[in-house]
Amino acid sequence: MPRTRSVTPSAQEVDRRTVLAATAAVSVSVSVGVGWALRPTDSQAAPAPATPSAPAPAVPSPRPSPAVSGGTAPTAPYREGTTLASVATARAGEHYRRLAGGAGWNRVVRDGAVPARPGRAGRRTPLAAFVQLTDLHLIDTQHPLRLEFLAAANPLSWRPQEALTVHGAVSLVERINSLPGGPVTGAPLDFAVTTGDSTDNNAGTELEWYLTVLSGGRITPDSGDPLHYEGVQNSGVELYWQPDSPARDLYKQRGFPRLDGYLAAATRPLRSPGLTLPWYSTVGNHDSLPLGCYGHGDSWLAEYAVGGRKLMSLTATEARRLRGSISDATDPLGTGLRELLRAHRRDLRPVTPDERRAPYTPAEWLRAHLDPAYTGPGPAGHGYTAANAAEGTQYYAFRVSDDVVGISLDTTDPGGHFEGSVGTAQLSWLERTLTAHRDAHVLVFSHHTSTTLSNTRPDPARPGERRHGGPELLAVLGRHRNVVAWVNGHIHRNAITPHTGADGHLFWEVSTASHVEYPQLARVIELVDNRDGTLSLHTTLIESAAPARTDFTDLSPRGLAALYRELSFNARSGDRALTGGAGDRNAELLLKKV
């Protein structure tokens, strides 16, 4: 039986999300101002929010620890199947570069203000072990309401690997299922957690694929005409890679291959085994709002999403103007986009309408998670409960073990922007929950990072409620010595940042790269008691189960998952900035036990 169990939340306030697949480059480029210095930096102080007297919900006792296959603990420490052993690495080449297995990344000890005492490996006691998946961005590439044409202003606004997101995610599930336990301790993995942007465009098709990838089942990563692909990759527009065509598009000029049958293979049904671990879901801005940055307030977005017209090209000047309005959040309801599409109505190409592409609301996100068809290994609702559905909230707490509690936050900006914030009601709930579980170690999960909680405009549905940014959330976490880690995504980059609380204690912010951009990673995190007055968080990155070396003739799901990784490397011309420094990848993070 799994050790994890959902916790019934108290009354909460809704916080929805936002951001745009086409503007992923905007969020990727956001600087978090971190390195991997061994000394922590002080977090900014902020006034404490008012704390209502309503108590936080009690966390039920954990279930018994799951038995390891065969009844014995796996050999540990181990490296096989992790980036400690091997990392997909580019071979020499001028333009398009092939990947092959390369040397792994060593583990870096980051002791901050706490010394790493010798002999701790022989004393350590596992407290929790889990896997973080983030920014899967499962993409319906034929969706009419996608902004691929922003690539005219910035090539990184579109990715040539986008048709293979489901194949890559299934391969990642296969890798997680193959892990024998925590790489450091060998302890059974307690759970997996997603930290947002599991879907890309707030589309019903993508939500179905996400829930099926993690829970298990047959997926057809296709929409519209079941016999004919209708996206930009067979449009003839040279801005995009046209894999089945002999024409020399901009990508083939960089060495991208011609692959006959690629689009047919990419849209064939495949089966996901589903995670064998209990898994929890955290909402991201791409999961909440159309295009990740527009509000649900105008029905034209939904009408266009399910309709029969798609714009596939735009001038660079118009693309820059639209991209600027998204980046600056000057058009949260997409009025400018609507006018642009009207102005280009003669340029819209016919596509097959599909009601399944309709944007889903936060209430529908919750109902889908609570659907028994997607329970998989549990828990029912994957963290969300009937109380969340009744109250319209998307944050909750759950028991990991006797000594560990998890908290999943909703950091999206309901006003319409890809950067985030939290409302006073949620921040007060967080304060109460941390206080109620002062004797447990707490793991906090969210989509946004401390530096991207920067959009504090009021929620249009609750204009009287104040919104709070990163410094204020850090101040709340810093007041509670039981917080050991804040785990998140959004920036598509590996980054580990130490923060110092009000009384000088340390906790760690762990941000993990996306699975839609290279290097396409997930992260195993193990919390251990060193039995010398310190704790350690061991972070170990993993790649999908797909082989590093690709074969252009292999268009099976496994071969496509390998190609997904290689295309993502070449999409950014081998830019390794998203991998982070050595201390942002495989690390041991020391902190004082309190």
Side-chain angles (χ1 to χ4, degrees), residues 475-502:
V476 170
L477 299 179
R479 283 198 293 274
H480 295 270
R481 298 167 63 85
N482 52 341
V483 174
V484 296
W486 177 10
V487 181
N488 50 45
H490 186 63
I491 57 174
H492 292 205
R493 181 171 71 251
N494 292 317
I496 297 178
T497 310
H499 295 291
T500 305

Side-chain angles (χ1 to χ4, degrees), residues 33-314:
V34 301
W36 57 279
L38 296 182
R39 295 292 171 184
T41 56
D42 290 340
S43 61
Q44 290 180 285
T51 304
S53 57
V59 180
S61 299
R63 299 174 183 177
S65 299
V68 180
S69 176
T72 59
T75 301
Y78 71 88
R79 302 168 66 89
E80 191 65 28
T82 77
T83 59
L84 292 165
S86 179
V87 177
T89 303
R91 291 180 276 173
E94 288 187 19
H95 300 293
Y96 185 94
R97 299 174 67 185
R98 308 302 300 276
L99 298 183
W105 294 325
N106 291 328
R107 194 179 304 282
V108 173
V109 177
R110 299 181 59 176
D111 56 8
V114 181
R117 297 186 173 92
R120 65 191 181 283
R123 297 188 301 267
R124 63 171 66 112
T125 300
L127 299 176
F130 63 94
V131 183
Q132 177 207 10
L133 304 83
T134 195
D135 296 85
L136 294 172
H137 284 278
L138 300 182
I139 299 174
D140 182 348
T141 61
Q142 300 172 81
H143 197 292
L145 197 62
R146 296 200 72 240
L147 307 186
E148 297 102 336
F149 48 73
L150 290 182
N154 184 334
L156 296 181
S157 293
W158 178 77
R159 313 175 187 91
Q161 70 270 21
E162 289 182 347
L164 303 180
T165 55
V166 170
H167 302 79
V170 169
S171 186
L172 182 60
V173 167
E174 292 170 346
R175 169 66 73 201
I176 293 168
N177 289 347
S178 75
L179 297 175
V184 174
T185 65
L189 296 172
D190 296 298
F191 65 98
V193 60
T194 64
T195 51
D197 283 4
S198 299
T199 66
D200 186 74
N201 194 23
N202 182 237
T205 46
E206 297 167 349
L207 179 57
E208 177 191 346
W209 301 345
Y210 159 55
L211 293 171
T212 307
V213 163
L214 295 196
S215 294
R218 185 174 184 268
I219 306 162
T220 302
D222 192 14
S223 64
D225 186 345
L227 302 178
H228 180 65
Y229 186 87
E230 299 175 319
V232 298
Q233 288 194 269
N234 67 350
S235 65
V237 178
E238 70 168 9
L239 185 63
Y240 315 107
W241 179 44
Q242 308 289 301
D244 290 86
S245 169
R248 283 187 60 78
D249 55 68
L250 293 180
Y251 284 85
K252 292 202 189 75
Q253 292 174 30
R254 292 169 46 193
F256 276 66
R258 177 184 175 184
L259 299 176
D260 291 330
Y262 170 87
L263 292 173
T267 52
R268 285 192 198 110
L270 70 160
R271 180 167 290 277
S272 172
L275 287 169
T276 55
L277 299 171
W279 61 272
Y280 292 83
S281 186
T282 300
V283 66
N285 49 286
H286 278 270
D287 303 316
S288 277
L289 301 176
L291 300 169
C293 63
Y294 292 136
H296 284 273
D298 197 324
S299 63
W300 83 268
L301 284 162
E303 292 168 1
Y304 196 85
V306 303
R309 296 285 174 175
K310 181 174 174 63
L311 184 64
M312 299 192 184
S313 61
L314 198 65

